[in-house]
Amino acid sequence: IWIMTNSRPVLIGGQIGSGKSTFINKTFKDCSSTQPDISFHFDTEGENLSEGDFLRILLVGVANFAMEKKIDLSFSNLPQELTNNQDEKWVTLMDKISVLELSLNSYEFRKTLAQKIVENLEYITASINKIIETIEVNIDRQLLLFASGIDKYEPLTASYFSIQSSLSILSKHKTIFEVNAVHLFDNKWVLKNVQKIFLGSFSKESILEVLRKRTGVYTKSIGDILNNITDLSGGNPRQALRLLTNYVFIKNQRIDVDISLHLSMKKTIQDFFSFANEPSKELINYVSRENSISATLLTLPADMDTAQRAIYGNWIFLINEKEGNIWNAIVNPIVTFFFKGEIDPEQYEQLLLGKYAENKQISPSRSEERRVGKECRSRWTP
């Protein structure tokens, strides 16, 4: 409905792995007659993008669309002004800054261009807005823009501040912004007053359906383990699928079901949290006890102990709005072991090596393996 009737920008926000991209793609698929005119991918060119780099991505998107529609851009002298070359044309400039070949010359050219864009920020902003307005006049309708990858930028980081000028331009047009859940609560950035759509955790039935589709004809052979994986997923489809992938791989090593589940859980923790900053135990204990969190906490400075970072890193899952500024929330089931001390990495490594040795017929003894396996089973609480 928004796509067909609304002219304002909208934020679609959810946590990592919550299905934002799938939701957006399905929305466009269901509205086959309406697709984004221009998509800006702000997360595809590597890390540490500067303010000028983000604006360059914006300029490339709108200028290329204008040229595809054969819209006259001769009113702007940006190609000559940005390159100090009176013979520079729009088409040649776009070729130079669109191709991301790995060469020193192209890298230096883009960086020099980005710096010049920042030095003339107001003029570049006005020029981009003018190009968009010219396009809309020529096609006789409002452009539909899509800004993806904004969810990759954690609040209060350098890149987060650098992208603000580009978002400010897009906020004046009909734009769909793909953001992280914490961005919906930020009351200091340029998109604070934009319409918001929150994508929370999936229901257990929905996660089970996702897992059944992935396993297909092998669903029956896996059996009730899908229920355990669903419980461990916390309603996050990406986490559910990673747990399933790790489980299937480990189980194929002919390891017992319950032990395979423990090992898959450990592998998933390593995949997602190896380099993560652990939030405070007080915060985790509070959410565990109350099953809720105040939105006020999500606006505090993003140090290691804050709820903002815990939500951004998926230590805590937001479910839905409860009342006022209170949101239903849970601690991610697989990280509760960080705070309960229930995982002994060395023990699990020994178990995995023991199983591998047995399968390769190089381990004459199973007594230690049985002991560790029994202890693992006694620790498992679905």
Side-chain angles (χ1 to χ4, degrees), residues 53-328:
D53 290 321
F54 288 123
L55 287 165
R56 173 175 55 81
I57 293 171
L58 208 57
L59 179 61
V60 168
V62 298
N64 278 336
F65 183 85
M67 289 188 290
E68 288 171 10
K69 297 298 183 180
K70 302 187 184 307
I71 295 172
D72 183 12
L73 297 179
S74 61
F75 64 86
S76 173
N77 294 320
L78 266 184
Q80 298 85 31
E81 294 166 335
L82 288 174
T83 61
N84 295 322
N85 179 2
Q86 293 304 310
D87 296 323
E88 192 74 69
K89 306 296 183 184
W90 275 104
V91 63
T92 55
L93 176 61
M94 290 304 103
D95 285 342
K96 290 177 182 177
I97 62 179
S98 298
V99 178
L100 299 178
E101 64 180 34
L102 189 61
S103 71
L104 184 59
N105 287 338
S106 63
Y107 174 80
E108 289 182 343
F109 177 80
R110 289 195 301 274
K111 286 302 176 185
T112 300
L113 187 75
Q115 182 60 37
K116 195 162 188 177
I117 287 174
V118 173
E119 292 171 354
N120 301 276
L121 185 59
E122 290 186 10
Y123 176 64
I124 298 299
T125 297
S127 297
I128 293 174
N129 278 320
K130 180 63 176 177
I131 294 173
I132 294 176
E133 292 169 5
T134 301
I135 292 172
E136 292 181 336
V137 168
N138 277 267
I139 65 176
D140 195 27
R141 63 174 174 82
Q142 190 177 27
L143 283 171
L144 175 58
L145 309 176
F146 175 41
S148 72
I150 302 166
D151 55 324
K152 303 301 188 294
Y153 299 104
E154 185 175 357
L156 302 185
T157 59
S159 295
Y160 183 73
F161 289 113
S162 295
I163 201 174
Q164 299 299 306
S165 55
S166 294
L167 301 185
S168 180
I169 294 173
L170 292 174
S171 68
K172 296 176 175 62
H173 305 278
K174 185 174 181 177
T175 307
I176 296 175
F177 296 93
E178 180 187 18
V179 302
N180 188 279
V182 295
H183 297 143
L184 300 177
F185 298 92
D186 192 338
N187 56 14
K188 296 182 177 63
W189 73 328
V190 296
L191 300 179
K192 61 184 177 181
N193 295 321
V194 173
Q195 180 181 349
K196 301 175 176 72
I197 296 175
F198 171 72
L199 302 181
S201 298
F202 280 38
S203 67
K204 181 173 181 177
E205 293 72 21
S206 297
I207 291 293
L208 279 170
E209 183 62 24
V210 169
L211 295 176
R212 290 187 186 113
K213 285 183 178 179
R214 179 60 61 92
T215 53
V217 296
Y218 298 102
T219 298
K220 290 185 178 179
S221 65
I222 294 179
D224 292 338
I225 202 67
L226 294 186
N227 288 315
N228 298 122
I229 292 176
T230 297
D231 291 336
L232 288 170
S233 75
N236 186 279
R238 185 189 73 150
Q239 186 163 301
L241 291 172
R242 184 63 63 88
L243 282 162
L244 176 64
T245 300
N246 288 334
Y247 171 80
V248 170
F249 175 79
I250 294 169
K251 185 66 174 65
N252 286 341
Q253 309 303 312
R254 290 184 285 177
I255 298 176
D256 293 343
V257 170
D258 50 357
I259 301 176
S260 295
L261 186 60
H262 276 278
L263 293 175
S264 66
M265 182 174 59
K266 183 205 170 189
K267 180 63 171 62
T268 303
I269 291 173
Q270 291 175 333
D271 292 342
F272 291 158
F273 297 96
S274 290
F275 302 100
N277 289 313
E278 185 178 307
S280 68
K281 291 180 174 60
E282 290 77 14
L283 175 63
I284 296 297
N285 290 337
Y286 174 83
V287 175
S288 296
R289 183 176 67 252
E290 302 295 332
N291 288 319
S292 64
I293 192 169
S294 169
T296 305
L297 295 177
L298 302 179
T299 64
L300 297 176
D303 57 55
M304 286 190 297
D305 291 339
T306 64
Q308 185 181 89
R309 180 163 290 181
I311 297 296
Y312 186 85
N314 281 12
W315 295 84
I316 294 170
F317 287 139
L318 293 179
I319 309 300
N320 51 37
E321 190 172 7
K322 186 177 181 181
E323 57 183 354
N325 71 334
I326 304 300
W327 288 70
N328 291 313

